[in-house]
Amino acid sequence: MLKTLVNQSQRWDNIVYQHATMQAVKTALQQLRPILVIDVYAHLLFRLIFAPDNFIGRMVDNYPPITKVISNHMRIGLTFLDAAIVMIFVIALTQHYLTTKGITNTSLPILTNFIAIYLLLVGKNQIPTYNTTQYLLMSVTVLFSVTTYCWFQKKWVNPDTSPYAYRYLVWAVLIILMSWLLRQLIAIPHFQTTISVLLSKTFFTTFWGLLAVSILSPLLFVFGFALPSELTDDQTTLNTVIANLDAVLSTGHKVLPYPENLYSTYGAFTLFGGIGNTLAISLLLLFATSRKHQKLGLITWFPSLFDDNTLLLAGVPLFLRPLMLVPMLLVSVISQLIGYVAIATHFIQPVVYPTPMNIPNLLLPTIASTTPIRSTLVTVAVFILSIVIYRPFVHRLTEGGSYEK
Amino acid sequence: MRNKFILTVSLMLIIALGFYGQHWVAKTTTSQAKIQNSRMVPTIFVPGSEATINRFDDLFATINAKGAPHSVLKVQVSTSGQLTFLGSINANDRQPFIVIGFEDNQDGYDHIKKQASWLAKALDTLQDRYHFQTFSAVGHSNGGLDWTIYLEKYHADDDFNIPILMTLGTPFNFSESSLQRRTEMLNDLISGNNQLPKDLTMYSVAGTEDYTDDGIVPVQSVIAGKYIYQKAVKSYTQITVSGDNAQHSSLPENPEVVSLIESNILKPLARSDRKQ
């Protein structure tokens, strides 16, 4: 059964990733990796050591105060690094796609896409905040742009025309205008806010509501949508979670208004290392047979431990990858189901308390519930099960073989 | 071998973080539970510039003479942010009076901004010591400016619930007697008024000796508070008192002001306490 699923996933994977377009995306993501490693580790160090509310500072007494000036400069530096990643991805994707189409002079399309993506992602007087989940938006925009460029060149321009001729410039202006208009239409922050508001509804404390989240969240992540923090790392601001905390603090009631909610099931059992318990993927990569994948496991391990799976998304890659989406969905649904059943049968008390910022999610059930030992047992069971589910898929990915008959 | 090392280090790190996390959650939860369950609703007074923490002694004596006495705690904040406590709060006193004064109690916008930041620190320390979440605020003269800046810049609804603020002769436009000439401070306070708590009931009390000022602060400067608070908070009420004790420095002892504090702060809070 599992073998059939692995085979089927790989078939879909081959269909998607054998396409020239996706090959270009994959190459662009690979070229992105070195600067992405720097970026992810810089962000990790900032969160743990240099941010005004840094993790180590909260743990250690007499920690040297990191002045506002230093941390503000670092924050600006990190934002520029984020912007650089977005732009390198755009340049690499444009370059690779056009080269495979036999177009050698790629300077105008690169410049055009650079400006187009800048206008698409940058708000008024702002520099873009890098978000891994914007790959879909960037890829679609860039691929639309380069496809039209190829078509335009084939239909409307002589081979001898200068790469900066009026006709090409008209194309460039149209693409930039389209991107600017798209920015007005899609309004990324509005999409995130809408999801946040929606998640506050009590429907998401019911079995079907939680099941919907456990399915939709990995799908949106792998398909490259910008997700709100309630789905990636922090559910404690949801009204239902606050209601539980209020009940515990004011009356000490063991009967909570919403025992099964996004924090106690989804947040506590499906985000080890990021959406879909991807810490398990990093662990399996550490023990892969190929050195390339071992190295990937090594560089992704510590960020994953602190719930940042950005490197896996671009490094494996997980982006639009059926071979990894299938186990991720299975892990997400089954892990949440285990958490739900454990709470519903009163085997564990749900997580209620907020935890220190940036503490690994793996510890959440243990430290934020009133049944630490039982919650730890459930955590260990969920993590082992995640490894078992991911194992054949990661094995197929790292071995690189064709699907078994 | 390498993987063994990485996993061992990671496991040790997770265990250490687990112990720290457990300790943090236990400490935070205990403190939050005390705050959440606290039934103490103090009234916190901030004196104006040049005044000391003894500024409200006569007011307290007048109120305490009428019924069950309120315990009084005075807090002096030094320029380095150190707090000195004088007096104490009785264990069974639900409505104590707390005065927060500043070593640097000079007039001027820059000094007032510093005082507001010290006020925020003092409130956090008081909450840690006495575990209250709800309090009412009274500010005399520039003390009202301290409260306004605090509410706009430092206040968070999650930390404190402030249902009532009463300012006594507070010069929201400093010594300007014309509402047409707005000082830098008034402009700043107006532009920041979207941060004021939406459920705040605000009373601005002005004194008049001769229909134009209370001897020091122009009435128009007190009235300028409407540009900051009106429509930004739940309700804004402008009250003018007159008579022998309507002079600026005497406002806290003015019988009408004493009566306003009793009827608009102490009684409503006592009623809400009984409802809990």
Side-chain angles (χ1 to χ4, degrees):
Chain A
M1 169 76 180
L2 193 62
K3 191 184 272 184
T4 313
L5 197 60
V6 177
N7 285 338
Q8 189 57 45
S9 307
Q10 190 166 14
R11 273 192 204 99
W12 293 331
D13 204 70
N14 289 342
I15 292 166
V16 174
Y17 263 79
Q18 269 174 5
H19 198 275
T21 315
M22 284 311 292
Q23 280 295 322
V25 171
K26 191 177 176 183
T27 308
L29 288 171
Q30 278 168 353
Q31 290 179 356
L32 202 62
R33 201 188 292 169
I35 191 166
L36 196 57
V37 171
I38 295 170
D39 182 70
V40 166
Y41 274 88
H43 272 284
L44 186 62
L45 283 177
F46 183 72
R47 276 161 56 200
L48 297 182
I49 300 170
F50 297 108
D53 54 350
N54 69 77
F55 184 68
I56 307 286
R58 282 167 182 267
M59 280 180 74
V60 182
D61 290 334
N62 303 321
Y63 185 75
I66 304 295
T67 64
K68 257 188 179 174
V69 181
I70 295 174
S71 92
N72 279 344
H73 277 86
M74 279 197 74
R75 203 190 298 273
I76 293 167
L78 286 172
T79 315
F80 279 116
L81 197 57
D82 294 343
I85 285 166
V86 170
M87 293 313 164
I88 288 171
F89 177 73
V90 170
I91 292 166
L93 183 55
T94 309
Q95 170 82 26
H96 186 79
Y97 186 88
L98 291 177
T99 310
T100 55
K101 295 286 173 188
I103 295 170
T104 48
N105 198 332
T106 56
S107 54
L108 182 69
I110 284 175
L111 191 64
T112 306
N113 286 344
F114 190 96
I115 297 169
I117 294 295
Y118 184 84
L119 287 175
L120 185 66
L121 299 180
V122 176
K124 200 177 175 187
N125 304 323
Q126 288 175 336
I127 36 181
T129 304
Y130 176 65
N131 187 333
T132 53
T133 52
Q134 288 174 357
Y135 284 128
L136 183 72
L137 186 63
M138 291 192 291
S139 302
V140 169
T141 311
V142 170
L143 291 171
F144 174 80
S145 159
V146 289
T147 311
T148 56
Y149 183 82
C150 293
W151 178 82
F152 194 82
Q153 194 182 46
K154 206 171 165 185
K155 293 274 179 190
W156 299 94
V157 187
N158 296 324
D160 303 330
T161 313
S162 151
Y164 295 99
Y166 284 121
R167 289 182 178 188
Y168 279 123
L169 294 179
V170 168
W171 167 84
V173 168
L174 285 174
I175 291 295
I176 290 168
L177 261 176
M178 184 213 72
S179 176
W180 181 79
L181 284 172
L182 193 62
R183 161 90 205 171
Q184 318 303 317
L185 288 174
I186 56 169
I188 300 160
H190 292 178
F191 173 73
Q192 289 173 305
T193 313
T194 308
I195 295 185
S196 290
V197 171
L198 207 64
L199 291 174
S200 268
K201 308 283 180 199
T202 49
F203 172 67
F204 293 102
T205 60
T206 64
F207 177 79
W208 296 110
L210 293 168
L211 185 68
V213 172
S214 67
I215 294 169
L216 278 175
S217 177
L219 270 174
L220 290 173
F221 175 68
V222 170
F223 276 81
F225 285 89
L227 295 175
S229 62
E230 287 85 349
L231 288 181
T232 54
D233 58 0
D234 183 19
Q235 300 80 35
T236 54
T237 53
L238 294 169
N239 293 340
T240 49
V241 178
I242 292 169
N244 275 359
L245 183 63
D246 279 346
V248 167
L249 291 179
S250 55
T251 58
H253 277 171
K254 288 193 174 171
V255 180
L256 301 173
Y258 308 105
E260 296 92 8
N261 60 36
L262 275 174
Y263 189 42
S264 63
T265 59
Y266 173 81
F269 296 108
T270 75
L271 296 178
F272 304 153
I275 291 174
N277 290 345
T278 47
L279 183 64
I281 298 179
S282 290
L283 185 70
L284 289 165
L285 287 174
L286 275 176
F287 292 94
T289 45
S290 78
R291 287 186 65 81
K292 187 181 89 174
H293 289 103
Q294 281 179 14
K295 199 176 158 192
L296 184 62
L298 189 65
I299 56 169
T300 59
W301 176 253
F302 279 102
S304 285
L305 204 59
F306 287 90
D307 309 317
D308 184 350
N309 55 7
T310 312
L311 277 172
L312 284 171
L313 187 72
V316 172
L318 301 177
F319 175 58
L320 288 179
R321 198 78 200 259
L323 186 61
M324 299 315 291
L325 174 63
V326 171
M328 196 181 273
L329 278 168
L330 283 174
V331 165
S332 184
V333 171
I334 293 171
S335 302
Q336 176 145 294
L337 204 62
I338 292 172
Y340 187 95
V341 171
I343 293 167
T345 56
H346 303 289
F347 179 70
I348 57 168
Q349 285 292 319
V351 301
V352 177
Y353 306 117
T355 53
M357 241 185 345
N358 297 321
I359 202 155
N361 234 38
L362 202 58
L363 289 165
L364 182 63
T366 308
I367 63 176
S369 110
T370 50
T371 50
I373 295 171
R374 288 181 174 202
S375 296
T376 307
L377 290 175
V378 176
T379 305
V380 171
V382 165
F383 190 59
I384 290 173
L385 196 67
S386 303
I387 294 170
V388 170
I389 293 171
Y390 274 121
R391 195 168 173 272
F393 294 89
V394 173
H395 184 258
R396 186 66 59 84
L397 178 91
T398 53
E399 295 307 306
S402 60
Y403 55 85
E404 293 169 23
K405 302 244 163 99
Chain B
M1 181 64 189
R2 186 187 62 183
N3 287 348
K4 216 174 184 180
F5 174 74
I6 290 169
L7 292 181
T8 309
V9 169
S10 302
L11 190 66
M12 284 163 64
L13 184 67
I14 286 287
I15 290 170
L17 291 177
F19 276 110
Y20 157 72
Q22 191 84 48
H23 172 71
W24 187 92
V25 169
K27 191 176 144 195
T28 312
T29 309
T30 309
S31 165
Q32 286 299 315
K34 280 181 185 168
I35 291 167
Q36 185 106 351
N37 296 325
S38 169
R39 299 181 73 183
M40 182 197 285
V41 187
T43 305
I44 302 181
F45 296 77
V46 175
S49 297
E50 316 294 339
T52 68
I53 48 175
N54 302 321
R55 181 70 192 78
F56 300 98
D57 284 359
D58 290 345
L59 169 71
F60 299 156
T62 309
I63 293 173
N64 281 345
K66 293 181 182 177
H70 302 259
S71 46
V72 178
L73 175 75
K74 295 174 184 175
V75 184
Q76 173 86 353
V77 189
S78 73
T79 47
S80 61
Q82 293 286 322
L83 305 187
T84 309
F85 294 87
L86 290 166
S88 62
I89 293 176
N90 295 338
N92 57 353
D93 189 356
R94 298 261 167 82
Q95 288 192 293
F97 293 147
I98 300 174
V99 184
I100 300 175
F102 310 101
E103 184 187 352
D104 173 4
N105 58 1
Q106 292 182 62
D107 195 3
Y109 191 24
D110 286 340
H111 292 283
I112 291 165
K113 282 194 274 193
K114 277 185 203 160
Q115 288 158 14
S117 75
W118 289 323
L119 176 60
K121 278 183 191 160
L123 289 171
D124 287 343
T125 308
L126 284 166
Q127 188 177 61
D128 285 345
R129 280 172 73 120
Y130 300 104
H131 306 295
F132 61 89
Q133 189 166 34
T134 303
F135 70 87
S136 280
V138 176
H140 176 227
S141 190
N142 285 357
L145 298 175
D146 295 339
W147 278 122
T148 306
I149 296 172
Y150 164 79
L151 290 171
E152 290 189 356
K153 278 187 74 176
Y154 302 101
H155 172 67
D157 287 338
D158 291 346
D159 296 336
F160 287 113
N161 171 34
I162 309 175
I164 303 163
L165 166 67
M166 184 178 283
T167 57
L168 311 173
T170 293
F172 292 103
N173 202 18
F174 277 140
S175 55
E176 279 295 340
S177 53
S178 167
L179 290 175
Q180 305 306 316
R181 292 190 295 273
R182 292 182 180 179
T183 57
E184 179 199 353
M185 181 185 69
L186 180 60
N187 282 328
D188 286 352
L189 295 178
I190 292 169
S191 64
N193 73 350
N194 57 344
Q195 300 298 320
L196 292 169
K198 301 287 175 278
D199 54 353
L200 178 76
T201 299
M202 156 68 168
Y203 300 97
S204 172
V205 181
T208 56
E209 275 196 319
D210 56 2
Y211 306 108
T212 57
D213 59 41
D214 60 10
I216 293 176
V217 173
V219 173
Q220 292 301 320
S221 180
V222 179
I223 289 173
K226 69 182 175 187
Y227 297 118
I228 303 164
Y229 285 96
Q230 212 164 346
K231 293 183 181 172
V233 298
K234 190 170 114 187
S235 80
Y236 168 80
T237 309
Q238 170 67 54
I239 302 164
T240 305
V241 298
S242 55
D244 291 343
N245 271 326
Q247 198 269 337
H248 185 75
S249 303
S250 309
L251 269 178
E253 296 89 50
N254 182 295
E256 280 183 74
V257 171
V258 175
S259 161
L260 284 170
I261 290 173
E262 286 174 324
S263 59
N264 293 299
I265 295 180
L266 301 178
K267 281 183 186 164
L269 290 182
R271 279 200 294 274
S272 69
D273 182 41
R274 277 198 294 275
K275 277 181 204 164
Q276 280 181 357

